[in-house]
Coordinates of all heavy atoms in Angstrom, one line a residue:
Chain A
G1 N -8.1 -7.8 3.8 CA -8.2 -9.0 3.1 C -9.6 -9.6 3.3 O -10.5 -8.9 3.4
R30 N -12.4 -4.8 17.7 CA -12.6 -3.8 18.7 C -12.8 -2.4 18.4 O -13.2 -1.6 19.0 CB -11.3 -3.9 19.6 CG -10.1 -3.4 19.0 CD -8.9 -3.3 20.0 NE -7.7 -2.7 19.4 CZ -7.5 -1.5 19.5 NH1 -8.2 -0.6 20.3 NH2 -6.5 -0.8 19.0
Q33 N -11.8 1.7 11.3 CA -11.3 3.1 10.9 C -11.7 3.2 9.4 O -11.7 2.1 8.7 CB -9.7 3.2 10.9 CG -9.3 3.1 12.5 CD -7.9 3.5 12.6 OE1 -7.4 4.6 12.0 NE2 -7.0 2.8 13.3
F35 N -11.1 5.5 5.7 CA -10.1 6.2 5.0 C -10.6 6.5 3.7 O -11.4 5.8 3.0 CB -8.7 5.4 4.8 CG -8.1 5.1 6.2 CD1 -8.4 3.8 6.8 CD2 -7.1 5.9 6.6 CE1 -7.8 3.6 8.0 CE2 -6.4 5.5 7.8 CZ -6.8 4.4 8.4
Q37 N -9.0 7.5 -0.1 CA -7.9 7.6 -0.9 C -8.4 8.7 -2.1 O -9.2 8.2 -2.9 CB -7.3 6.3 -1.4 CG -5.9 6.5 -2.1 CD -5.2 5.2 -2.3 OE1 -5.8 4.2 -2.6 NE2 -3.9 5.4 -2.2
R40 N -5.2 12.2 -5.7 CA -3.6 12.1 -5.6 C -3.0 10.9 -5.0 O -1.9 10.9 -5.0 CB -3.2 13.5 -5.0 CG -3.6 14.8 -5.6 CD -3.0 15.9 -4.9 NE -3.4 16.0 -3.5 CZ -4.5 16.5 -3.1 NH1 -5.4 17.0 -3.8 NH2 -4.9 16.5 -1.6
G41 N -3.8 10.1 -4.5 CA -3.3 8.9 -4.0 C -3.1 8.9 -2.4 O -2.8 8.0 -1.8
S42 N -3.5 10.1 -1.9 CA -3.3 10.3 -0.4 C -4.3 9.6 0.4 O -5.5 9.6 0.0 CB -3.3 11.8 0.0 OG -2.2 12.4 -0.7
L43 N -3.9 9.0 1.5 CA -4.9 8.2 2.4 C -5.3 9.2 3.6 O -4.3 9.6 4.3 CB -4.3 7.0 2.8 CG -4.3 5.9 1.8 CD1 -3.1 4.9 2.1 CD2 -5.6 5.2 1.7
I44 N -6.5 9.5 3.7 CA -6.9 10.5 4.7 C -7.8 9.6 5.7 O -8.8 9.0 5.3 CB -7.6 11.6 4.1 CG1 -6.8 12.2 3.2 CG2 -8.2 12.5 5.2 CD1 -7.6 13.2 2.2
N45 N -7.5 9.7 7.0 CA -8.3 9.1 8.0 C -9.5 9.9 8.2 O -9.4 11.1 8.6 CB -7.4 9.0 9.2 CG -8.1 8.1 10.2 OD1 -9.3 8.4 10.7 ND2 -7.5 7.0 10.8
L46 N -10.6 9.3 8.0 CA -12.0 9.9 8.2 C -12.5 9.7 9.6 O -13.0 10.6 10.3 CB -13.0 9.4 7.1 CG -12.6 9.6 5.7 CD1 -13.7 8.9 4.8 CD2 -12.5 11.1 5.3
F47 N -12.5 8.5 10.0 CA -13.1 8.2 11.4 C -12.3 7.0 12.1 O -11.8 6.2 11.4 CB -14.4 7.6 11.2 CG -15.4 8.6 10.7 CD1 -15.9 8.7 9.4 CD2 -15.9 9.6 11.6 CE1 -16.8 9.6 9.1 CE2 -16.9 10.5 11.1 CZ -17.3 10.6 9.9
Y48 N -12.3 7.1 13.3 CA -11.9 6.0 14.3 C -13.1 5.7 15.1 O -13.4 6.6 15.9 CB -10.6 6.3 15.0 CG -10.3 5.3 16.0 CD1 -9.3 4.3 15.7 CD2 -10.8 5.2 17.3 CE1 -9.0 3.3 16.6 CE2 -10.4 4.3 18.2 CZ -9.5 3.3 17.9 OH -9.1 2.4 18.8
F86 N -11.8 3.1 2.1 CA -11.4 1.9 2.7 C -11.9 1.9 4.2 O -11.8 2.9 4.8 CB -9.9 1.7 2.7 CG -9.4 1.6 1.4 CD1 -8.7 2.7 0.6 CD2 -9.2 0.4 0.7 CE1 -8.2 2.6 -0.5 CE2 -8.7 0.2 -0.6 CZ -8.1 1.3 -1.2
N93 N -4.2 -9.4 16.7 CA -3.0 -8.6 17.0 C -3.3 -7.2 16.7 O -3.5 -6.7 15.6 CB -1.8 -9.0 16.1 CG -0.6 -8.3 16.6 OD1 -0.7 -7.2 17.1 ND2 0.5 -9.0 16.4
Y94 N -3.5 -6.3 17.8 CA -3.8 -5.0 17.6 C -3.0 -4.1 16.9 O -3.4 -3.0 16.5 CB -4.1 -4.4 19.1 CG -5.2 -4.9 19.9 CD1 -5.3 -4.7 21.3 CD2 -6.1 -5.7 19.2 CE1 -6.3 -5.3 22.0 CE2 -7.2 -6.3 20.0 CZ -7.3 -6.0 21.3 OH -8.3 -6.6 22.1
N95 N -1.8 -4.5 16.6 CA -0.8 -3.6 15.8 C -1.0 -3.7 14.4 O -0.6 -2.9 13.6 CB 0.6 -4.1 16.1 CG 1.1 -3.6 17.4 OD1 1.2 -2.4 17.8 ND2 1.3 -4.5 18.4
V96 N -1.7 -4.7 14.0 CA -2.0 -5.0 12.5 C -3.4 -4.7 12.2 O -4.4 -5.2 12.6 CB -1.7 -6.4 12.2 CG1 -1.8 -6.7 10.7 CG2 -0.3 -6.9 12.6
L97 N -3.4 -3.7 11.3 CA -4.7 -3.1 10.8 C -4.9 -3.8 9.3 O -4.1 -3.6 8.4 CB -4.6 -1.6 10.7 CG -6.0 -0.8 10.7 CD1 -6.6 -1.1 12.1 CD2 -5.7 0.6 10.5
Y98 N -6.1 -4.5 9.2 CA -6.4 -5.1 7.9 C -7.3 -4.3 7.1 O -8.4 -3.8 7.7 CB -6.9 -6.5 8.1 CG -5.8 -7.4 8.5 CD1 -5.6 -7.7 9.9 CD2 -5.1 -8.2 7.5 CE1 -4.6 -8.6 10.1 CE2 -4.1 -9.0 7.9 CZ -3.8 -9.3 9.2 OH -2.8 -10.1 9.6
F99 N -7.1 -4.0 5.9 CA -8.0 -3.2 5.0 C -8.9 -4.1 4.2 O -8.5 -5.1 3.7 CB -7.0 -2.4 4.2 CG -6.4 -1.1 4.8 CD1 -5.4 -1.3 5.8 CD2 -6.9 0.2 4.6 CE1 -4.9 -0.3 6.5 CE2 -6.5 1.2 5.3 CZ -5.4 1.0 6.3
G100 N -10.1 -3.5 3.9 CA -11.1 -4.1 2.9 C -10.4 -3.6 1.4 O -9.5 -2.9 1.4
S101 N -11.2 -4.2 0.5 CA -10.7 -3.9 -0.9 C -11.0 -2.6 -1.5 O -10.7 -2.2 -2.5 CB -11.2 -5.1 -1.8 OG -10.6 -6.2 -1.4
Chain B
A31 N 4.1 4.5 17.6 CA 4.1 3.3 16.7 C 4.2 3.7 15.2 O 3.5 4.8 14.9 CB 2.8 2.7 16.8
Y33 N 4.6 2.2 11.0 CA 4.3 1.1 10.1 C 4.6 1.3 8.7 O 4.8 2.4 8.2 CB 2.6 0.9 10.1 CG 2.0 0.9 11.5 CD1 1.7 2.2 12.0 CD2 1.6 -0.2 12.1 CE1 1.1 2.2 13.3 CE2 1.0 -0.2 13.3 CZ 0.7 1.1 14.0 OH 0.1 1.1 15.1
Y35 N 3.1 -0.1 4.9 CA 2.1 -0.7 4.1 C 2.4 -0.6 2.6 O 3.1 0.3 2.2 CB 0.7 0.0 4.2 CG 0.0 -0.5 5.6 CD1 0.3 0.2 6.7 CD2 -1.0 -1.3 5.6 CE1 -0.3 0.0 8.0 CE2 -1.6 -1.7 6.7 CZ -1.4 -1.0 7.9 OH -2.0 -1.4 9.1
Q37 N 0.8 -0.9 -1.4 CA -0.4 -1.0 -2.2 C 0.0 -1.2 -3.7 O 0.8 -0.4 -4.2 CB -1.2 0.3 -2.1 CG -2.5 0.4 -2.9 CD -3.3 1.7 -2.6 OE1 -2.7 2.7 -2.6 NE2 -4.5 1.7 -2.4
P42 N -5.2 -5.1 -2.4 CA -5.5 -4.0 -1.5 C -4.3 -3.6 -0.6 O -3.3 -4.3 -0.6 CB -6.7 -4.4 -0.7 CG -6.5 -5.9 -0.6 CD -5.9 -6.3 -1.8
L43 N -4.5 -2.5 0.2 CA -3.4 -2.2 1.1 C -3.0 -3.3 2.0 O -3.8 -4.0 2.7 CB -4.0 -1.0 2.0 CG -3.8 0.3 1.4 CD1 -4.8 1.3 2.1 CD2 -2.3 0.9 1.7
E44 N -1.7 -3.6 1.9 CA -1.2 -4.8 2.6 C -0.3 -4.4 3.7 O 0.7 -3.6 3.5 CB -0.4 -5.6 1.5 CG 0.2 -6.9 1.9 CD 0.9 -7.4 0.7 OE1 1.2 -6.8 -0.3 OE2 1.2 -8.7 0.9
F45 N -0.4 -4.9 4.9 CA 0.4 -4.6 6.1 C 1.7 -5.2 5.9 O 1.8 -6.4 5.4 CB -0.3 -5.1 7.3 CG 0.6 -5.0 8.5 CD1 0.7 -3.9 9.3 CD2 1.4 -6.2 8.8 CE1 1.5 -3.9 10.4 CE2 2.2 -6.1 10.1 CZ 2.3 -4.9 10.7
S48 N 5.2 -3.5 11.6 CA 4.9 -2.4 12.7 C 6.0 -2.3 13.7 O 6.6 -3.3 14.0 CB 3.6 -2.7 13.4 OG 3.6 -3.8 14.2
Y49 N 6.3 -1.1 14.1 CA 7.2 -0.9 15.2 C 6.6 -0.1 16.3 O 5.8 0.7 16.0 CB 8.4 0.0 14.7 CG 9.5 -0.7 14.2 CD1 9.4 -1.7 13.0 CD2 10.8 -0.7 14.6 CE1 10.4 -2.5 12.5 CE2 11.9 -1.4 14.1 CZ 11.7 -2.2 13.1 OH 12.8 -3.0 12.6
S50 N 7.0 -0.3 17.6 CA 6.6 0.5 18.6 C 7.7 0.8 19.5 O 8.5 -0.1 19.9 CB 5.5 -0.3 19.4 OG 5.1 0.5 20.5
M55 N 7.3 -5.0 16.1 CA 6.2 -5.7 16.8 C 5.6 -6.8 15.9 O 5.4 -7.9 16.4 CB 5.1 -4.7 17.1 CG 5.6 -3.5 18.1 SD 6.1 -4.2 19.6 CE 4.7 -4.8 20.3
D56 N 5.6 -6.5 14.6 CA 5.0 -7.5 13.7 C 5.5 -7.4 12.4 O 5.9 -6.3 11.9 CB 3.5 -7.2 13.5 CG 2.6 -7.6 14.8 OD1 2.3 -8.8 14.9 OD2 2.3 -6.7 15.5
Q58 N 4.8 -9.0 8.6 CA 4.0 -9.9 7.8 C 4.5 -10.0 6.4 O 3.7 -10.1 5.4 CB 2.6 -9.6 7.8 CG 2.1 -9.8 9.3 CD 0.5 -10.1 9.4 OE1 -0.1 -10.0 8.4 NE2 0.0 -10.3 10.6
F90 N 3.5 3.0 1.6 CA 3.1 4.0 2.6 C 3.7 3.7 4.0 O 3.6 2.6 4.5 CB 1.6 3.9 2.7 CG 0.7 4.5 1.4 CD1 0.3 3.6 0.5 CD2 0.6 5.9 1.3 CE1 -0.4 4.1 -0.7 CE2 -0.1 6.3 0.2 CZ -0.5 5.5 -0.9
E96 N -0.1 4.4 20.2 CA -0.4 3.0 20.6 C -1.2 2.5 19.2 O -0.5 2.5 18.2 CB -1.4 3.0 21.8 CG -0.8 3.6 23.0 CD 0.6 3.0 23.4 OE1 0.7 1.8 23.2 OE2 1.2 3.7 24.1
A97 N -2.2 1.8 19.4 CA -2.7 1.1 18.2 C -4.1 1.9 17.8 O -5.0 1.2 17.3 CB -3.1 -0.3 18.4
E98 N -4.0 3.2 18.0 CA -5.2 4.0 17.7 C -5.2 4.5 16.3 O -4.8 3.9 15.4 CB -5.4 5.1 18.9 CG -5.3 4.6 20.4 CD -6.5 3.8 20.7 OE1 -7.7 4.1 20.1 OE2 -6.4 2.8 21.4
R99 N -5.8 5.7 16.1 CA -6.1 6.3 14.8 C -4.8 6.3 14.0 O -3.7 6.8 14.4 CB -6.6 7.7 15.0 CG -7.3 8.2 13.8 CD -8.0 9.5 14.1 NE -8.6 10.0 12.8 CZ -9.3 11.1 12.8 NH1 -9.5 11.9 13.9 NH2 -9.8 11.6 11.6
L100 N -4.9 5.8 12.8 CA -3.7 5.6 11.9 C -3.7 6.8 10.9 O -4.7 7.1 10.3 CB -3.9 4.2 11.2 CG -2.7 3.8 10.4 CD1 -1.5 3.4 11.4 CD2 -3.0 2.6 9.5
F101 N -2.4 7.3 10.8 CA -2.2 8.4 9.8 C -1.2 8.0 8.8 O -0.2 7.5 9.2 CB -1.8 9.7 10.5 CG -2.8 10.2 11.3 CD1 -3.0 9.9 12.7 CD2 -3.9 11.1 10.8 CE1 -4.1 10.4 13.4 CE2 -4.9 11.6 11.6 CZ -4.9 11.2 12.9
F102 N -1.4 8.3 7.5 CA -0.4 7.9 6.4 C 0.5 9.1 6.0 O -0.1 10.2 5.9 CB -1.2 7.3 5.3 CG -1.8 5.8 5.6 CD1 -2.9 5.6 6.0 CD2 -0.8 4.8 5.2 CE1 -3.4 4.3 6.4 CE2 -1.4 3.5 5.5 CZ -2.6 3.4 6.0
G103 N 1.6 8.8 5.5 CA 2.3 9.6 4.6 C 1.8 9.6 3.2 O 0.8 8.8 3.0
H104 N 2.3 10.4 2.4 CA 1.8 10.5 0.9 C 2.3 9.3 0.0 O 1.9 9.1 -1.1 CB 2.2 11.8 0.3 CG 1.4 13.0 0.9 ND1 0.2 13.0 0.8 CD2 1.9 14.0 1.6 CE1 -0.4 14.1 1.4 NE2 0.7 14.7 2.0

Side-chain angles (χ1 to χ4, degrees):
Chain A
R30 70 176 185 93
Q33 301 190 44
F35 298 84
Q37 188 164 35
R40 294 187 305 276
S42 297
L43 284 155
I44 300 162
N45 189 302
L46 301 174
F47 292 104
Y48 173 96
F86 294 98
N93 187 331
Y94 292 164
N95 286 298
V96 181
L97 204 62
Y98 286 92
F99 282 74
S101 298
Chain B
Y33 312 81
Y35 282 80
Q37 186 178 40
L43 274 157
E44 182 184 13
F45 172 87
S48 68
Y49 268 63
S50 180
M55 301 300 289
D56 288 280
Q58 297 206 358
F90 287 98
E96 302 301 335
E98 304 294 326
R99 194 171 179 184
L100 191 68
F101 293 89
F102 283 91
H104 289 298

